[in-house]
Amino acid sequence: MVEIGKFNTLTVVKIVDFGVYLDGGERGEILMPKEYVPANCFPDDEVKAFVYFDSEDRIVATTEEPYVQVGEFACLKMVAGSPVGAFLDWGLRKDLLVPFREQREPMEEGCSYLVYAYFDQASDRIVASTKIDKFLDQVFPSYKPGQEVDILVARKTDLGYAVIVNNAHWGLIYDNEIFQPLKIGQRHKAYIKRVREDEKIDLTLQPAGYEKIEGLAGQIFEKLKDYDGVLDLSDKSAPEEIYRLFGCSKKNYKKALGALLKQGVIEIGETEVRLLPNR
């Protein structure tokens, strides 16, 4: 059965001048417009396609990849308002609607919002909601310490960053566990630190055994964060420049860079050092 708002593997039924028709089962034949049809496509071939509704509410297929699928969370920008709600850019020709009833607060054009995309059975359409709490923590978080998970950075808190874990649960990464820049809407791999008795989830961006950044390496890391992740001071820089910024020898500076490099925190160029956005 075709899943609306997700990628499906569908069989080509017939080829026409303006595209191909795919077997949509109970949904009937689904058009994939010509501009999205893979090269050398023939009847009975299987095509991986995203299925959604076009501007005339017809079911269509595309090989374009949206920023979010049904059942997922994403940070999307509002591009227009309407009498029925707000429209978000999700990477496809037809924008994604957030009905007024699904807006936690009035939305403003040009701003980005964390949303959950779902298929609304009542209206038979794909919509999104900013009332994300009702879509999370519906089942017990049965994670094990050290388990790798996918996270979406949701918001900054007084303690650190609140994140969405595996599209299912709220989690938290504490400030003292963060050794790289984070931005709202970013996706990362993370690791379960513990699931507390109150079912709250603590995470870390580093697997077990990752060394805490201390000493000179920690100073370099903090300076990189202050400079938006880029420091114009490599392991080839003059000793005087290194001493002026960190008050240390070039030998010790290179040793500290080596520790950060080994931990996967930085990359070293000819004239600069950069924080890596992901491990």
Side-chain angles (χ1 to χ4, degrees):
M1 184 176 180
V2 171
E3 292 187 276
I4 304 295
K6 295 186 178 183
F7 276 96
N8 297 258
T9 300
L10 304 175
T11 302
V12 177
V13 177
K14 60 185 176 185
I15 299 175
V16 293
D17 291 340
F18 46 87
V20 300
Y21 280 99
L22 307 174
D23 182 4
E26 295 179 359
R27 289 284 187 172
E29 294 181 353
I30 299 174
L31 173 66
M32 175 180 282
K34 187 175 183 179
E35 59 265 39
Y36 306 125
V37 177
N40 302 316
C41 187
F42 299 98
D44 296 327
D45 284 352
E46 290 189 336
V47 177
K48 185 178 180 181
F50 183 77
V51 178
Y52 73 117
F53 298 98
D54 66 10
S55 57
E56 297 180 15
D57 289 329
R58 298 171 300 189
I59 299 179
V60 293
T62 179
T63 49
E64 289 186 307
E65 188 164 347
Y67 303 145
V68 65
Q69 295 187 59
V70 162
E72 295 179 347
F73 297 85
C75 194
L76 303 177
K77 180 181 289 187
M78 178 182 169
V79 293
S82 78
V84 294
F87 284 100
L88 307 176
D89 174 17
W90 64 324
L92 301 178
R93 286 188 178 181
K94 183 185 178 182
D95 297 323
L96 180 62
L97 174 68
V98 182
F100 286 119
R101 69 177 185 278
E102 291 297 334
Q103 296 180 25
R104 190 178 64 177
E105 57 188 27
M107 302 173 70
E108 297 183 15
E109 188 173 333
C111 295
S112 294
Y113 298 89
L114 184 67
V115 300
Y116 178 79
Y118 68 98
F119 182 71
D120 182 26
Q121 299 285 350
S123 63
D124 199 38
R125 71 194 313 180
I126 303 168
V127 296
S129 174
T130 61
K131 298 179 179 180
I132 59 176
D133 283 326
K134 66 181 181 180
F135 302 104
L136 290 169
D137 295 325
Q138 301 300 307
V139 296
F140 179 79
S142 57
Y143 303 106
K144 297 179 180 179
Q147 180 179 340
E148 183 180 279
V149 292
D150 294 311
I151 64 167
L152 174 68
V153 182
R155 61 172 179 258
K156 185 73 174 73
T157 74
D158 293 338
L159 298 176
Y161 279 89
V163 300
I164 294 172
V165 183
N166 284 355
N167 280 306
H169 300 97
W170 277 117
L172 181 67
I173 304 176
Y174 291 93
D175 280 328
N176 64 355
E177 297 282 348
I178 299 172
F179 305 128
Q180 61 191 77
L182 291 181
K183 292 182 180 180
I184 306 303
Q186 280 186 324
R187 298 182 186 277
H188 289 268
K189 295 293 184 182
Y191 303 86
I192 300 296
K193 192 173 182 181
R194 61 177 170 269
V195 178
R196 302 193 308 229
E197 290 183 0
D198 59 2
E199 299 186 9
K200 301 297 183 182
I201 303 170
D202 294 338
L203 303 107
T204 176
L205 293 173
Q206 298 81 32
Y210 189 95
E211 299 175 26
K212 186 177 180 180
I213 300 178
E214 297 177 332
L216 179 57
Q219 295 177 37
I220 296 170
F221 173 76
E222 292 300 326
K223 189 69 69 174
L224 278 163
K225 290 199 293 184
D226 291 342
Y227 284 76
D228 295 324
V230 182
L231 190 61
D232 295 327
L233 202 67
S234 76
D235 56 354
K236 297 180 175 61
S237 296
E240 297 80 11
E241 296 176 1
I242 294 171
Y243 185 84
R244 185 170 60 251
L245 193 60
F246 292 105
C248 69
S249 68
K250 183 172 181 177
K251 179 180 179 181
N252 286 337
Y253 180 70
K254 291 176 67 174
K255 184 178 179 180
L257 289 184
L260 292 172
L261 186 67
K262 181 179 179 181
Q263 294 177 32
V265 175
I266 64 168
E267 61 180 4
I268 304 174
E270 287 294 319
T271 61
E272 63 186 21
V273 176
R274 287 181 173 272
L275 276 178
L276 293 174
N278 297 295
R279 256 189 65 82

